[in-house]
Amino acid sequence: MLEGKNIILGVCGSIAAYKTATLVRLLIKAGANVQVVMTPDAANFITPLTLSTLSIRPVYVDYFKPDTGEWNNHVELGLWGDAMIIAPASANTMAKMAGGLVDNLLTAVYLSAKCPVYFAPAMDLDMWKHNSTRANIAAIQQFGNILIPPGSGELASGLHGEGRMAEPEEIIAFVEADIKGKLPLVNKRILVTAGPTYEAIDPVRFIGNHSSGKMGFAIADELASLGAEVTLVAGPTAQISKQKSVKRIDVISAAQMLNACLENFEHANACVMCAAVADYTPANVATQKIKKHDDGLTIDLKKTIDILKTLGSKKQPGQVLVGFALETENEEQFAIEKLNKKNLDLIVLNSLNDAGAGFKSDTNKVTLIDRQLKKTVYDLKSKTEVAKDICAKLLQLIN
């Protein structure tokens, strides 16, 4: 959930600030970009140099950079973040957050932030229980900010009770769960296929196609970023998922891809069949390498089982099935025939006649046609952007 996200980490003056070194490392490990902003007092508990080294970014403490006098732009910082985490959030800073007081860079960034703001309080037991603290927390939450509750245990004062900041691992888990819970495809299972299939002629040679798998992998990554549980059945390809949550099943042949799809389709809410599956496979596969002769070579082919049509025949009410049509002539006619013949809910049409579309390229130009034959034509875009368009339409169909 944090992969590629821009996280602003606000650090306040508290003994719990020592935990932010671990927190930064966990955020970086999760794939986030981390910008640390500290209050001046926080620098007494952990050095900016430590957090700068771990975050691989300069740490901001003051409005102005002491060496150059340049302005640390709190407005730009607030717009940059996908999320802001204030940890530890001291009683002093929470009072400022509740009252809108801006006397340091951190509170200025907080007031400028357009993203969700999480705060993890850290203070002694009596401070935590004080009515003014409770009122400030209630006010901060009313503003839409999200409390990461403190834990209970031994405190720096020697007292035992509530007030200790949540552990870094708990903060990461809390934020990820909160982000995921708000995503539109959370708890949805989606099956995606990608890449080519290779149909063996002998142990050395095969029949294949030029599919790189880029489009299917982009779709799988986009669906995962929307919260879906994605199973990706991939033919032979060098592509790698950017989203670590994607469950990948590697196959080689059309038969193997069919089996993998049948094993996962029943429990899927949707299936996006992006793979370029071979229509034919050798009727007989030689067990030894076929030697070259002066005469020509004839290979008998048989049809492979149509995976898309098979899934369409097994589709249950509520399931959404998406197919692809790569055409060279009569594009819309053939795509609509495929849509109806294979019981699809949506077909993605692209033509090899369009420059920049098709196999191996980083771009694609598609037309989406649904069951009602509503057609949406898109301009040439990167495959990442095309994946967003396809997934936006899929989201409508699922809902």
Side-chain angles (χ1 to χ4, degrees):
M1 289 297 100
L2 296 174
E3 180 80 32
K5 295 287 193 299
N6 294 332
I7 306 296
I8 304 167
L9 176 60
V11 183
C12 303
S14 165
I15 187 60
Y18 80 90
K19 296 181 180 180
T20 57
T22 301
L23 181 56
V24 170
R25 292 199 64 173
L26 290 175
L27 287 168
I28 295 293
K29 187 176 180 180
N33 307 307
V34 182
Q35 178 59 65
V36 178
V37 181
M38 304 175 70
T39 65
D41 281 344
N44 292 320
F45 293 92
I46 187 169
T47 67
L49 177 60
T50 298
L51 298 183
S52 175
T53 301
L54 294 173
S55 65
I56 325 172
R57 287 175 177 270
V59 169
Y60 299 141
V61 179
D62 302 306
Y63 280 109
F64 299 95
K65 300 175 184 177
D67 51 345
T68 64
E70 293 179 55
W71 178 36
N72 289 322
N73 193 326
H74 60 278
V75 176
E76 287 185 0
L77 278 170
L79 294 174
W80 175 82
D82 294 309
M84 183 174 187
I85 304 172
I86 302 177
S90 66
N92 183 49
T93 293
M94 289 195 299
K96 295 175 183 179
M97 292 168 66
L101 181 61
V102 185
D103 65 350
N104 60 45
L105 181 61
L106 174 55
T107 51
V109 172
Y110 159 71
L111 285 181
S112 301
K114 302 294 184 185
C115 58
V117 177
Y118 302 85
F119 65 105
M123 63 199 71
D124 205 66
L125 177 62
D126 293 331
M127 297 173 70
W128 172 249
K129 288 185 173 182
H130 199 283
N131 288 338
S132 60
T133 302
R134 313 309 298 174
N136 288 335
I137 290 174
I140 296 168
Q141 289 180 290
Q142 285 181 348
F143 298 152
N145 303 303
I146 304 157
L147 170 68
I148 302 176
S152 181
E154 186 176 351
L155 304 172
S157 65
L159 297 175
H160 192 281
E162 280 189 308
R164 60 188 297 171
M165 187 181 85
E167 295 302 318
E169 294 82 1
E170 295 171 337
I171 292 174
I172 296 290
F174 184 99
V175 173
E176 286 190 326
D178 185 72
I179 292 174
K180 186 172 183 178
K182 295 173 182 175
L183 293 175
L185 288 177
V186 66
N187 297 326
K188 299 295 184 184
R189 296 178 179 177
I190 302 184
L191 176 65
V192 180
T193 65
T197 64
Y198 288 173
E199 309 303 318
I201 298 172
D202 61 21
V204 176
R205 304 175 183 89
F206 62 85
I207 298 171
N209 58 60
H210 296 295
S211 175
S212 64
K214 290 179 180 179
M215 192 71 257
F217 273 71
I219 290 171
D221 285 339
E222 176 64 14
L223 290 169
S225 73
L226 294 172
E229 297 177 28
V230 179
T231 298
L232 173 63
V233 180
T237 175
Q239 300 301 310
I240 298 175
S241 296
K242 295 178 181 178
Q243 294 287 340
K244 296 176 182 177
S245 64
V246 172
K247 176 187 175 184
R248 177 171 173 171
I249 301 173
D250 288 309
V251 299
I252 297 176
S253 67
Q256 290 173 346
M257 184 168 284
L258 171 65
N259 290 335
C261 288
L262 290 175
E263 288 175 2
N264 290 277
F265 181 66
E266 181 181 356
H267 301 292
N269 298 100
C271 176
V272 182
M273 287 289 298
C274 190
V277 184
D279 295 318
Y280 295 91
T281 189
N284 297 292
V285 179
T287 58
Q288 302 295 329
K289 179 183 175 182
I290 299 172
K291 296 300 182 181
K292 182 168 62 177
H293 299 284
D294 292 337
D295 298 334
L297 176 65
T298 300
I299 300 175
D300 291 328
L301 301 176
K302 62 180 181 180
K303 290 187 70 173
T304 57
I305 297 175
D306 190 322
I307 300 176
L308 191 56
K309 187 175 182 180
T310 299
L311 298 184
S313 68
K314 295 179 177 294
K315 189 176 68 169
Q316 299 297 315
Q319 281 186 308
V320 176
L321 184 57
V322 179
F324 278 67
L326 176 62
E327 304 293 349
T328 59
E329 60 178 347
N330 301 324
E331 288 98 337
E332 286 191 24
Q333 175 189 336
F334 289 146
I336 292 172
E337 288 178 3
K338 188 173 184 179
L339 174 78
N340 292 322
K341 189 182 299 182
K342 301 188 180 183
N343 193 24
L344 308 181
D345 300 284
L346 180 72
I347 193 156
V348 182
L349 167 64
N350 60 319
S351 171
L352 283 179
N353 295 318
D354 292 326
F359 291 140
K360 292 189 176 179
S361 69
D362 293 322
T363 57
N364 207 352
K365 185 178 186 297
V366 302
T367 298
L368 304 185
I369 305 174
D370 64 18
R371 296 273 305 181
Q372 289 71 43
L373 303 186
K374 179 182 178 182
K375 183 175 68 174
T376 308
V377 181
Y378 296 91
D379 295 329
L380 184 71
K381 299 181 180 182
S382 71
K383 286 183 174 176
T384 300
E385 292 301 315
V386 172
K388 293 180 185 294
D389 293 331
I390 294 171
C391 292
K393 181 63 177 180
L394 177 61
L395 181 59
Q396 293 177 8
L397 296 175
I398 290 175
N399 291 335

